[in-house]
């Protein structure tokens, strides 16, 4: 079995895609969970502001999700472009 | 074991082009729709001021959803209530139907969940265009900087992917666990509990999550 | 060729990694339950019930890992090299994927034990919130299980290729490791919701709804992990 440089690059790109998405998902997952937890706490304390709290939570989560989306983009680029 | 992962389908050739029909998914989707129709007609058959227990149960589900939709969408609520409630009921019955022997969940097929996700996506974006006008709508894609445009587009598309793969992964994963563990224990004792947890409980939670997320996407799209 | 090295290593990684999270979560739950009982000895039966139910659900992630490990141990022991890589990857995927959800679903049950101790009359409500949040926190481990089964049961081409092996390993890492964050995050949300339900039982439905939406959104990154894994398995 002979392995050429191109094979090596392709293999590294595919493995890299898995690593990018796998580890890239950890931070956003925990961070968005924090936001959701704080929103629940807030609603228990001030139920009359539930709509505002939910909206704030969703906006905050959308922003912290962006790093997860970057990871997805990098993974897909590694698979389909490299 | 491989047969759990595959979905029975027919391949039809029309004018030299091949079309794949997922027979089980199609049949099961129609079965779910018929079931929902029958239940709906049955519940509304003789509406009385003092409702029968069955009518009361159906009414309480529908009413809870109306309050929910009104709360998140405000004056646009009545227009979208039927859509959200239908999504919930269709997915709920779809997830539950796998508990019956010989039947399988249409939501086990990615095509079903992706279709449902796309419907929600189109509704959310058409609503946003209507409410905000195309200028304000387009402007949002260039926030906070103009070069974020491609990432914002991918972010929107990722919503469809995440909502549909979440449902598919849960239902398919549950079906696989039930099949494999049942075989490992030779169908003794455990399967009813597995069906109760993955079929009924997780199925209900995921149907609700799907409907709530679609509602959330619509309400986020029409803000500001 | 003989694949027992791959299956044994995969099974060891699977249950070795997969047991950690659930054990941590269940230990946390037991500790909180002991604290709550010390504070409110007359509520001990209610607290104990919450603890046992919560631990049983938190255990399910490690039970998935056990199932995969057993299938690897008693599964095929010969085949092409790529099949060995796939079997090892399946073990890695399920092992890594069980950690976060196992620990994450221990957080709501720990919070629920404290909450039930504080407000034993509302135990049914709190238990409902706990069970729903745990079920959602388990979702990433179900994704990891799905990918592990795909890795185990799909037939692999007979000739070895480096890219093929990398795709299998990459799929395992994408689906397995990506479950960690969302699992723990969903646990945070569930814990706060259980606490809130004990404080304001009248607002339980509202809190439950917010929790579900928050958890579902925080889980999308694990769904991306599943998508990348499926692309690596089916498209590449």
């Amino acid at each position: 079995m002979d392995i050429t440089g191109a094979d090596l690059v392709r293999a590294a790109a595919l493995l890299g895609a898995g690593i990018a998405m796998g580890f890239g998902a950890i931070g956003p997952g925990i961070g968005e969970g924090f936001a959701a937890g704080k929103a629940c706490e807030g609603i228990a304390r001030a139920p009359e502001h539930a709509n505002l709290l939910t909206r704030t939570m969703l906006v905050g989560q959308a922003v912290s999700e962006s790093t997860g989306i970057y990871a997805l983009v990098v993974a897909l680029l590694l698979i389909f472009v490299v | 074991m491989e047969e759990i992962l595959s979905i029975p389908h027919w391949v039809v050739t029309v004018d030299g082009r091949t079309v794949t029909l997922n027979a089980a998914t199609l049949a099961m989707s129609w079965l779910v729709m018929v079931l929902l129709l029958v239940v709906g007609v049955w519940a509304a058959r003789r509406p009385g001021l003092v409702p029968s227990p069955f009518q009361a149960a159906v009414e309480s589900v529908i009413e809870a959803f109306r309050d929910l939709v009104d709360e998140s969408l405000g004056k646009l609520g009545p227009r979208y209530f039927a859509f959200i409630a239908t999504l919930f009921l269709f997915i709920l019955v779809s997830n539950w139907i796998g508990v019956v022997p010989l039947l399988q969940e249409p939501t086990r097929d990615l095509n079903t969940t992706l279709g449902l996700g796309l419907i929600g996506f189109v509704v959310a974006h058409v609503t946003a265009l209507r409410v905000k006008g195309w200028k304000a709508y387009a402007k949002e894609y260039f926030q906070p900087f103009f070069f974020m445009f491609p990432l914002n587009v991918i972010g929107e598309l990722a919503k469809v992917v995440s909502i549909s793969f979440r449902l598919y992964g849960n239902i398919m994963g549950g079906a696989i666990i039930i099949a494999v563990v049942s075989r490992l224990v030779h169908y003794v004792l455990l399967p009813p509990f597995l069906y109760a947890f993955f079929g009924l409980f997780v199925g209900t939670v995921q149907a609700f999550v799907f409907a709530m997320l679609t509602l959330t996407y619509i309400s986020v799209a029409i803000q500001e | 060729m003989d694949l027992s090295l791959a299956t044994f290593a995969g099974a060891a990684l699977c249950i070795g990694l997969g047991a950690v999270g659930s054990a941590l979560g269940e230990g946390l739950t037991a500790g909180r339950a002991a604290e709550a009982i010390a504070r409110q000895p007359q509520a001990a039966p209610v607290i104990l019930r919450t603890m046992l139910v919560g631990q049983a659900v938190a255990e399910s992630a490690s039970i998935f890992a056990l199932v995969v490990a057993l299938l690897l141990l008693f599964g095929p022991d010969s085949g092409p090299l790529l099949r060995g890589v796939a079997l090892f990857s399946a073990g890695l995927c399920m092992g890594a994927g069980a950690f976060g959800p196992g620990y994450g679903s221990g957080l709501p049950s720990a919070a629920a034990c404290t909450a039930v101790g504080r407000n034993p009359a509302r135990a049914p409500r709190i238990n409902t919130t706990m069970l729903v949040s745990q079920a959602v926190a388990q979702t990433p481990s179900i994704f990891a299980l799905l990918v592990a089964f795909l890795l185990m049961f799909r037939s692999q081409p007979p000739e070895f290729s480096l890219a093929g092996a990398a795709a299998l390993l990459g799929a395992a890492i994408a689906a397995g490791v990506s479950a960690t964050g969302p699992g723990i995050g969903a646990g945070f949300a569930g814990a706060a919701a259980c606490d809130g339900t004990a404080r304001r039982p009248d607002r339980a439905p509202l809190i439950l709804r917010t929790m579900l939406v928050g958890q579902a959104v925080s889980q999308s990154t694990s769904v991306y992990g599943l998508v990348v894994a499926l692309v690596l398995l089916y498209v590449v």
Side-chain angles (χ1 to χ4, degrees):
Chain A
M1 181 175 67
D2 42 299
I3 293 165
T4 62
D7 285 345
L8 211 57
V9 169
R10 181 78 185 135
L14 294 180
L15 188 59
I19 294 175
M21 193 60 243
F23 286 85
I26 296 178
I30 297 181
E32 290 171 47
F34 260 131
K38 290 290 171 194
C40 291
E41 253 175 50
I43 287 178
R45 229 170 267 162
E48 65 276 12
H49 295 308
N51 265 333
L52 181 64
L53 281 164
T54 311
R55 217 177 308 147
T56 312
M57 173 190 86
L58 286 171
V59 171
Q61 286 186 321
V63 174
S64 59
E65 172 122 347
S66 49
T67 51
I69 290 178
Y70 300 160
L72 177 68
V73 171
V74 168
L76 292 179
L77 284 178
L78 279 170
I79 294 173
F80 291 114
V81 179
V82 175
Chain B
M1 293 258 183
E2 287 93 298
E3 75 272 4
I4 316 162
L5 301 173
S6 68
I7 288 162
H9 57 263
W10 299 318
V11 180
V12 189
T13 313
V14 185
D15 296 338
R17 263 180 283 183
T18 55
V19 180
T20 311
L21 288 175
N22 292 354
T25 307
L26 281 175
M28 291 299 144
S29 310
W30 279 98
L31 182 64
V32 169
M33 286 189 268
V34 168
L35 271 177
L36 279 175
L37 262 180
V38 168
V39 168
V41 170
W42 186 277
R45 192 182 37 154
R46 247 172 291 146
L49 266 182
V50 183
S52 63
F54 181 62
Q55 189 193 340
V58 175
E59 271 182 6
S60 70
V61 171
I62 299 296
E63 233 159 69
F65 259 90
R66 190 166 53 205
D67 293 347
L68 237 161
V69 175
D70 283 349
E71 222 171 80
S72 354
L73 295 182
K75 63 180 196 309
L76 278 176
R79 200 196 274 171
Y80 291 98
F81 150 68
F83 171 59
I84 300 294
T86 307
L87 260 187
F88 173 72
L89 289 174
F90 179 73
I91 297 171
L92 183 75
V93 177
S94 296
N95 294 348
W96 280 2
I97 212 170
V99 174
V100 184
L102 298 180
L103 302 185
Q104 65 163 292
E105 309 88 340
T107 37
R108 196 196 283 195
D109 188 343
L110 182 56
N111 296 297
T112 310
T113 59
L114 207 53
L116 293 171
L118 277 175
I119 295 172
F121 175 80
V122 170
V123 168
H125 283 262
V126 169
T127 312
L129 267 174
R130 264 210 204 135
V131 172
K132 289 193 259 191
W134 65 270
K135 231 178 197 171
Y137 172 78
K139 209 176 151 195
E140 276 196 357
Y141 285 89
F142 295 95
Q143 298 294 337
F145 309 108
F146 70 93
F147 58 80
M148 297 292 270
F149 175 71
L151 286 169
N152 283 332
V153 172
I154 291 170
E156 282 303 316
L157 293 178
K159 281 182 183 172
V160 185
V161 172
S162 80
I163 196 173
S164 45
F165 272 81
R166 174 181 297 114
L167 184 57
Y168 160 75
N170 269 292
I171 301 307
M172 188 66 168
I176 290 177
I177 296 166
I178 291 173
V180 170
V181 175
S182 301
R183 190 172 296 190
L184 281 183
V185 299
H186 296 285
Y187 302 94
V188 178
L189 205 62
L190 268 181
F193 294 104
L194 289 172
Y195 275 113
F197 183 75
F198 285 107
L200 300 180
F201 184 57
V202 173
T204 310
V205 170
Q206 289 303 326
F208 189 68
V209 163
F210 195 102
M212 284 308 298
L213 277 181
T214 308
L215 180 61
T216 310
Y217 289 164
I218 296 175
S219 77
V220 166
I222 60 174
Q223 271 162 33
E224 288 136 285
Chain C
M1 68 185 277
D2 185 23
L3 294 182
S4 37
L5 179 64
T7 53
F8 289 168
L13 263 182
C14 181
I15 193 65
L17 286 176
V20 178
S22 295
L24 280 174
E26 285 172 46
L28 196 65
T29 306
R32 289 286 191 81
E35 263 177 28
I37 290 176
R39 218 176 285 142
Q40 282 261 34
Q42 71 276 19
V46 195
I47 298 172
L48 213 59
R49 202 179 314 137
T50 302
M51 180 192 88
L52 285 176
V53 172
Q55 285 181 323
V57 181
E59 182 119 336
S60 58
S62 66
I63 292 179
F64 298 163
L66 180 69
V67 169
V68 170
L70 287 178
L71 285 172
L72 285 174
L73 284 182
F74 299 112
D77 49 7
S78 65
L81 181 57
L82 216 48
R83 179 126 175 82
V85 176
L87 291 173
F88 173 79
S89 306
L92 177 68
C93 177
M94 191 60 241
F99 173 77
Y103 179 61
S105 50
L107 296 175
S109 58
C113 286
T114 311
V116 169
R118 200 180 297 140
N119 199 348
R122 299 300 183 166
R125 277 238 140 118
I126 297 170
N127 283 346
T128 309
T129 309
M130 176 189 80
L131 274 176
V132 172
S133 70
Q134 286 184 309
V136 180
Q138 291 292 340
T139 302
S141 74
I142 296 180
F143 295 161
L145 185 77
L146 182 61
V147 172
F149 273 107
L150 289 174
L151 283 164
M152 270 194 281
F153 293 122
R154 279 188 77 223
S155 53
Q156 303 294 339
E159 73 278 10
F160 180 79
S161 76
L162 204 56
L168 294 175
L169 259 181
I173 295 173
V177 179
S178 72
T180 310
I184 298 177
F188 280 134
C194 288
D195 191 55
T197 306
R199 267 172 227 272
R200 293 295 300 263
D202 52 322
R203 296 297 173 157
L206 185 63
I207 295 172
L208 190 68
R209 213 163 69 217
T210 313
M211 177 198 82
L212 265 182
V213 172
Q215 284 186 319
V217 174
S218 70
Q219 239 157 40
S220 35
T221 47
S222 78
V223 183
Y224 303 156
L226 174 71
V227 172
V228 168
L230 291 179
V231 167
L232 281 169
L233 286 178
Y234 281 106
V235 181
V236 175

